[in-house]
Amino acid sequence: MMMLAALKKGGPRREFLTLLMSHLRNHPIFDGPLENRYLICNSRAARKDEYFLAGKMIAVSIVHGGPAPHFLSKNLVNHMMGNPSFSTTAEDVKDEEIGKGLQQVLEAESEESLQNVILQNSTMFKTAGCLRCVKTCEKQAFMEEYLKWYIIDRNHSAIQQ
C-alpha cells in the first residue's frame, strides 16, 4: 500500500531527478566549491554537447517538480538571467596557483609590493586583459575584475551552450 502511495506522489520520479542533479553537480564541466559551482570550458565536453545536455537535465528536473540546481553559483545564475551583479572571493577558485596569486594581491601592503606581485603573475593577468598598474586602494576591485573574467568571461562559450 505504501509503495502505491509513493508511486502516486511521484516518489520514484523525484528520487531519479534528485540523483540526476547530484550526478550533474559532480560532472567535470563544473568547478568551484560543491555548493557554489560554475561552468568551465572543456573542449571535449563542448564537442559532445555536454553543456547543452546539462541544460536539458536541469530543465527536465525543474519542469517535473524535481530539485533545482542549488549547487550553481549565484554569479553564474545571475549572469544567465541577465543580472550583472557579481561578487566572489579567491576561495571560489580551485586552481592553487591562481588562488595563491590572488591572495598575494590582497596581502600586498605597499604599491611597490603590489606591482611586484602583479608582475610575477603577469601572464595570468594579461590573459584576462587586466594587466596594469594598480594602486593599493584598487586591489579588491582588480581582483574582482580578474575573478569575473575567470568565472564568467573565459567560459562564455560553455555558458552559451
Side-chain angles (χ1 to χ4, degrees):
M1 190 69 151
M2 289 283 261
M3 181 68 135
L4 188 56
L7 286 173
K8 285 183 179 179
K9 293 182 181 181
R13 179 184 62 226
R14 274 197 308 276
E15 178 66 17
F16 169 75
L17 295 172
T18 299
L19 290 171
L20 183 67
M21 288 297 102
S22 177
H23 173 75
L24 190 58
R25 175 180 51 208
N26 297 314
H27 197 282
I29 64 171
F30 294 103
D31 198 13
L34 281 179
E35 299 306 317
N36 197 24
R37 312 281 283 167
Y38 52 88
L39 286 169
I40 57 169
C41 194
N42 177 313
S43 61
R44 184 185 140 285
R47 281 192 307 275
K48 294 178 132 192
D49 285 334
E50 290 183 29
Y51 298 102
F52 181 71
L53 184 58
K56 280 180 142 180
M57 290 174 173
I58 291 168
V60 165
S61 183
I62 292 170
V63 167
H64 291 282
H70 296 292
F71 58 89
L72 294 178
S73 80
K74 289 180 181 175
N75 291 316
L76 177 61
V77 172
N78 283 339
H79 176 74
M80 290 189 301
M81 293 176 61
N83 183 344
S85 69
F86 186 87
S87 175
T88 193
T89 63
E91 286 82 40
D92 289 337
V93 176
K94 292 186 88 173
D95 185 298
E96 289 179 25
E97 285 288 318
I98 293 172
K100 181 181 170 188
L102 293 173
Q103 196 60 41
Q104 289 173 338
V105 165
L106 288 177
E107 291 171 356
E109 294 182 6
S110 69
E111 289 194 17
E112 183 181 345
S113 64
L114 179 58
Q115 296 314 312
N116 286 335
V117 168
I118 290 172
L119 286 176
Q120 289 170 356
N121 297 286
S122 62
T123 303
M124 177 175 107
F125 295 123
K126 187 175 186 178
T127 302
C130 59
L131 180 63
R132 64 179 183 281
C133 289
V134 178
K135 296 178 182 179
T136 53
C137 63
E138 301 170 327
K139 63 185 178 182
Q140 182 68 36
F142 176 76
M143 188 193 72
E144 287 176 11
E145 179 184 348
Y146 177 82
L147 286 170
K148 185 170 189 308
W149 173 83
Y150 185 82
I151 292 173
I152 302 294
D153 299 339
R154 79 180 178 117
N155 299 306
H156 180 73
S157 64
I159 294 168
Q160 288 302 111
Q161 265 197 16

